[in-house]
């Protein structure tokens, strides 16, 4: 029989002080409210309250997957290296992949994602177009040896992911499967209480052409995005934007003394021009080992993800490399560069003829450097490498973009035949020909979603759980841990459970102040407060955690009153 939980026996050790290890409000609160604990860097234990919320998120996911015909299953978390060699990712994935060997020296990895395993699964047994489409998914721990695990569950090394893989006979089918997942993801965010935006995304390590990320809007988010009133929204890693560039002054090429002006702000201030009127030079070594310089507008940054698409596994030159190639740090320009250095520039700069640039000589810049006269940039070296930002033009309608930050909670990809071709996963089509599957893959960070919910739903006092993911929906707080008040509390809790609610009773022998503070910290949506006077008058005080509103409700009506409030808010 269902019953209510008791605080005295719930393993949820709360902390009075903010833990030093946490920066984000959500991370602090999950630790303080006794919901998670750190086991090691990037490795977290989910305590009982966390698991209750995680199960709710997972159930929302399961319902939405079932609604679009995706089937749940489970593959091993440990993946044979062989499959990753097949797909070509064993070499490509880099140090984030947790590699290991078994006792016979065979290679394995802890799955950071499972395209390989699922493609392998179907490649020998899903044989005919008649069996398609198929979408399979699992909810399981993933492992990524992140360079900088941080922010609690936001960037863990081990984390819970829902990952789905669709197999279709043709491109139209894949697009349909993709749209179905994308729509389901929007509903999942909404049902979990997240305010999230679908944004155009880079397809990253996974590959493929078309991808959208759902971003939970939050100032503390690691992702930067731009959006427009016209509906366009993109991750700055993926956004193309119309960057307006300030044209320099025309004139003869002139070298000017700019003492100690090795950074853009100083050059701009010294020569009294806007930063957009200067050109930032980045010295790098491409993935092929070639030295190169790339220019971006002085008020913009080069984007790492875009740069990787252009230059492969590049790195910015070290001071030693800069010297080795005969460059002058802080004063690099396109005029008079040492031989053998390739010159690239962001496409936006092609609109400008007159540049203000470093003179390749300490403490000097060129003004009036003219594109085509004083320096050249080859046609194929105009590249898109700039990070779009607030104020740049929307690529769709031209209006200025807004900036925002977000937490990437999920991402959907159209993969096409990337994996099916690499791994020889084919089926027999209607016309009797072997064809590779058209695939899509779809991931939700389940544990990250839990923390994103807290990041969007908290206040000074603590967590403000939306009903749909709250570990409990109601907390009954008797201000006496024995006697009549306590008996009434137990009776109300039992009645609320009977009405279908999830209830915890704070039965601890603590002062009222402690109980109130913990109740706000742990953030259950409704608090039922019972004191001697109320009980004598036949009423309980019910507090809505989100609005802070308090109401007196007759003791006999509390359970049905709560049910009326809570049940419609369930996901
Ligand atoms: P990020 O850009 O934040 O590193 P990603 O794009 O590499 O994430 P995906 O491969 O798209 O991640 O994985 C699917 C989902 O898994 C992400 O949308 C995110 O919610 C979650 N996720 C990815 N990495 C982590 C992590 N280190 N900790 C927690 N959740 C993660
Ligand atoms: Mg992603």
């Amino acid at each position: 029989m269902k019953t209510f939980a008791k605080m005295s026996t719930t393993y949820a050790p709360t902390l009075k002080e903010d833990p030093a290890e946490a920066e984000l409000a959500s991370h602090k609160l999950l630790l303080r409210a006794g919901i998670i604990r750190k086991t090691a860097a990037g490795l977290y234990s989910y305590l009982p309250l966390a698991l209750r919320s995680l199960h709710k998120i997972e159930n929302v996911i399961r319902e939405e997957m079932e609604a679009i015909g995706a089937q749940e299953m489970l593959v091993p978390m440990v993946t044979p290296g062989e499959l990753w060699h097949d797909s070509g990712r064993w070499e490509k994935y880099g140090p984030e992949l947790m590699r290991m060997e078994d006792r016979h020296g065979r290679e394995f990895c802890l799955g950071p994602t499972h395209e390989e395993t699922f493609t392998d699964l179907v490649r020998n047994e899903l044989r005919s177009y008649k069996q398609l489409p198929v979408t399979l998914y699992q909810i399981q721990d993933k492992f990524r040896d992140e360079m900088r695990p941080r922010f609690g569950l936001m960037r863990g090394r081990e984390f819970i992911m829902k990952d789905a893989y669709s197999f279709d006979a043709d491109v139209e089918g894949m697009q349909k499967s993709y749209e179905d997942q994308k729509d389901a993801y929007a509903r999942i965010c909404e049902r979990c209480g997240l305010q999230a935006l679908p944004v155009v995304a880079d397809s990253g390590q996974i590959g493929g052409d078309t991808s959208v990320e759902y971003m939970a809007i939050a100032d503390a988010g690691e992702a930067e995005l731009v959006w427009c009133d016209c509906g366009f929204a993109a991750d700055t890693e993926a956004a193309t934007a119309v960057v307006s560039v300030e044209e320099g002054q025309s004139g003869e090429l002139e070298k000017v003394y700019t003492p100690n002006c090795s950074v853009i702000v100083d050059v701009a201030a010294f020569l009294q021009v806007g930063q957009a009127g200067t050109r930032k030079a980045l010295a790098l070594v491409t993935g092929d080992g070639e030295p190169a310089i790339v220019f971006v507008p002085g008020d913009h940054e080069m984007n790492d993800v875009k740069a990787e698409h252009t230059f492969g596994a590049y790195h910015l030159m070290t001071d030693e490399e800069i010297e080795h190639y005969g460059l002058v740090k802080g004063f690099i320009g396109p005029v008079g560069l040492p031989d053998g250095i390739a010159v690239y520039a962001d496409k936006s700069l092609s609109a400008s003829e007159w540049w203000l640039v470093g003179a390749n000589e300490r403490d000097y810049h060129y003004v009036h450097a003219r594109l085509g006269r004083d320096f050249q940039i080859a046609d194929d070296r105009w590249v898109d490498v700039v990070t779009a930002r607030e104020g740049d033009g929307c690529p769709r309608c031209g209006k200025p973009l807004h900036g925002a930050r977000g937490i990437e909670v999920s991402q959907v990809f159209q993969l096409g035949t990337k994996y099916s071709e690499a791994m020889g996963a084919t089926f027999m089509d209607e016309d009797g020909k072997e064809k590779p599957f058209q695939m899509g893959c779809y991931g939700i960070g389940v544990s990250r979603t839990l923390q994103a919910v807290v990041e969007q739903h908290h206040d000074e006092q603590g967590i403000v759980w939306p009903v749909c993911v709250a570990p409990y929906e109601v907390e009954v707080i008797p201000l006496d841990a024995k006697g009549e008040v306590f008996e009434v509390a137990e009776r109300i809790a039992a009645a609320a459970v009977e009405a279908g609610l999830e209830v915890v009773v704070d039965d601890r022998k603590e002062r009222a102040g402690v109980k109130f503070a913990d109740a706000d910290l742990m953030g259950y949506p409704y608090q039922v407060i019972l004191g001697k006077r109320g009980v004598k008058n036949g009423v309980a005080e019910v507090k809505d955690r989100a609005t802070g509103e308090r109401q007196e409700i007759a003791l006999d009506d509390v359970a049905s009153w709560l049910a009326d409030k809570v049940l419609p808010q369930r996901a």
Side-chain angles (χ1 to χ4, degrees):
M1 203 189 70
K2 280 203 169 153
T3 180
F4 50 85
K6 294 178 178 171
M7 282 275 270
S8 62
T9 51
T10 297
Y11 191 69
T14 55
L15 306 173
K16 288 223 169 49
E17 305 294 328
D18 274 344
E21 67 185 88
E23 286 170 60
L24 294 195
S26 53
H27 186 194
K28 287 179 194 163
L29 291 171
L30 287 173
L31 289 165
R32 281 192 52 206
I35 295 176
I36 60 170
R37 282 294 178 264
K38 180 166 147 183
T39 298
L43 304 175
Y44 281 83
S45 299
Y46 308 110
L47 306 193
L49 298 179
L51 215 56
R52 292 183 67 91
S53 291
L54 287 167
H55 286 159
K56 290 188 178 184
I57 296 171
E58 290 174 5
N59 284 337
V60 168
I61 293 173
R62 289 195 171 98
E63 283 175 21
E64 292 298 338
M65 287 300 109
E66 196 179 339
I68 57 171
Q71 300 168 62
E72 185 171 8
M73 54 168 289
L74 207 49
V75 300
M77 182 188 177
V78 177
T79 308
E82 206 181 306
L83 296 181
W84 281 67
H85 283 294
D86 274 6
S87 71
R89 279 208 291 188
W90 186 262
E91 286 76 26
K92 267 199 213 132
Y93 210 89
E96 252 181 43
L97 189 63
M98 188 70 149
R99 298 157 212 256
M100 57 201 187
E101 283 183 3
D102 71 3
R103 65 175 76 206
H104 308 293
R106 281 188 291 253
E107 290 172 325
F108 290 88
C109 65
L110 293 181
T113 170
H114 278 118
E115 284 73 18
E116 282 79 0
T117 310
F118 278 86
T119 307
D120 174 59
L121 182 78
V122 301
R123 70 175 153 182
N124 297 318
E125 292 182 288
L126 202 52
R127 296 296 309 138
S128 159
Y129 72 95
K130 289 181 200 152
Q131 297 165 284
L132 302 178
V134 171
T135 298
L136 303 169
Y137 79 96
Q138 62 174 346
I139 298 176
Q140 187 201 45
D141 271 12
K142 296 283 176 283
F143 196 96
R144 295 182 186 180
D145 199 359
E146 298 270 357
M147 171 105 97
R148 275 198 294 167
R150 55 190 180 157
F151 306 142
L153 306 184
M154 292 286 189
R155 188 164 298 284
R157 293 196 293 167
E158 183 174 333
F159 56 96
I160 306 174
M161 198 204 285
K162 167 267 177 183
D163 47 326
Y165 307 88
S166 63
F167 300 90
D168 272 275
D170 51 30
V171 172
E172 294 72 49
M174 169 186 70
Q175 283 165 347
K176 162 89 172 54
S177 299
Y178 172 86
E179 291 300 328
D180 283 352
Q181 289 281 338
K182 199 171 121 198
D183 294 347
Y185 276 30
R187 290 192 296 273
I188 290 164
C189 284
E190 203 194 312
R191 290 181 60 184
C192 291
L194 282 180
Q195 189 213 339
L197 202 64
V199 307
V200 175
D202 181 77
S203 40
Q205 284 274 18
I206 309 270
D209 295 328
T210 310
S211 179
V212 158
E213 292 163 342
Y214 282 90
M215 291 285 182
I217 304 303
D219 291 339
E222 285 185 273
E224 284 178 52
L225 43 127
V226 285
W227 59 277
C228 179
D229 302 325
C230 76
F232 172 81
D235 192 318
T236 52
E237 290 177 350
T240 49
V242 187
V243 177
S244 56
V245 170
E246 214 170 286
E247 183 63 298
Q249 286 170 359
S250 60
E252 289 306 306
L253 182 68
E254 186 189 338
K255 197 190 280 183
V256 293
Y257 183 51
T258 50
N260 297 321
C261 295
S262 62
V263 290
I264 294 288
V265 248
D266 294 343
V267 182
F270 188 80
L271 296 175
Q272 299 192 336
V273 297
Q275 291 186 31
T278 67
R279 306 290 176 257
K280 190 181 286 179
L282 296 124
L284 52 87
V285 179
T286 68
D288 296 333
E290 306 288 337
I293 304 292
V294 56
F295 292 94
V296 298
D299 61 341
H300 277 71
E301 302 296 331
M302 181 176 80
N303 186 273
D304 188 43
V305 172
K306 288 185 177 184
E308 250 184 49
H309 287 313
T310 308
F311 303 115
Y314 81 97
H315 68 267
L316 291 176
M317 282 188 197
T318 61
D319 287 358
E320 291 74 47
E321 283 172 319
I322 288 182
E323 215 177 292
H324 169 81
Y325 287 110
L327 299 164
V328 185
K329 190 181 176 187
F331 297 91
I332 298 171
V335 184
L337 271 176
D339 283 346
I341 296 188
V343 183
Y344 293 82
D346 187 73
K347 278 181 181 148
S348 58
L349 289 174
S350 66
S352 152
E353 194 176 348
W354 302 96
W355 293 25
L356 192 173
V357 288
N360 298 312
E361 191 179 328
R362 185 156 319 279
D363 291 340
Y364 285 92
H365 276 79
Y366 278 124
V367 289
H368 326 312
R370 186 178 191 181
L371 175 62
R373 178 188 71 184
D374 302 318
F375 65 97
Q376 317 285 340
I377 292 173
D379 286 349
D380 59 350
R381 291 189 175 160
W382 291 99
V383 290
D384 178 16
V385 291
V386 109
T387 306
R389 50 172 245 192
E390 191 163 9
D392 287 345
C394 170
R396 259 195 226 155
C397 75
K399 282 209 215 107
L401 292 166
H402 309 286
R405 301 190 73 88
I407 300 161
E408 180 197 319
V409 287
S410 53
Q411 186 165 14
V412 291
F413 298 88
Q414 292 183 24
L415 295 170
T417 57
K418 181 180 154 103
Y419 291 92
S420 49
E421 264 185 62
M423 297 182 66
T426 59
F427 65 97
M428 190 78 79
D429 206 359
E430 229 165 335
D431 52 16
K433 288 205 184 96
E434 288 286 329
K435 288 186 186 153
F437 294 108
Q438 291 286 342
M439 292 174 55
C441 71
Y442 319 94
I444 302 180
V446 177
S447 42
R448 186 184 280 184
T449 292
L450 176 73
Q451 191 169 331
V453 169
V454 176
E455 194 58 42
Q456 282 194 352
H457 299 272
H458 70 268
D459 61 17
E460 287 288 299
Q461 276 65 49
I463 302 173
V464 184
W465 287 113
V467 163
C468 42
V469 290
Y472 292 100
E473 295 162 334
V474 174
E475 178 174 348
V476 180
I477 309 172
L479 299 181
D480 270 339
K482 53 183 181 355
E484 195 190 355
V485 168
F486 191 69
E487 280 158 27
V488 172
E490 288 199 306
R491 210 173 67 221
I492 288 184
V497 170
E498 185 76 9
L501 306 181
E502 298 172 2
V503 184
V504 60
V505 177
D506 190 349
D507 58 337
R508 298 173 305 166
K509 293 186 181 64
E510 290 284 358
R511 283 184 295 114
V514 172
K515 290 190 176 187
F516 292 148
D518 277 352
D520 280 354
L521 171 64
M522 296 171 114
Y524 306 118
Y526 294 93
Q527 301 169 9
V528 179
I529 301 156
L530 289 161
K532 271 204 183 81
R533 194 155 47 93
V535 167
K536 208 162 89 202
N537 296 336
V539 291
E541 185 179 50
V542 182
K543 176 176 156 184
D544 180 324
R545 174 68 181 87
T547 63
E549 260 170 58
R550 292 160 188 272
Q551 253 174 288
E552 290 205 332
I553 310 279
L555 294 177
D556 286 342
D557 298 339
V558 172
S560 62
W561 186 94
L562 288 169
D564 285 349
K565 288 278 182 191
V566 170
L567 296 178
Q569 294 181 61
R570 283 213 183 140

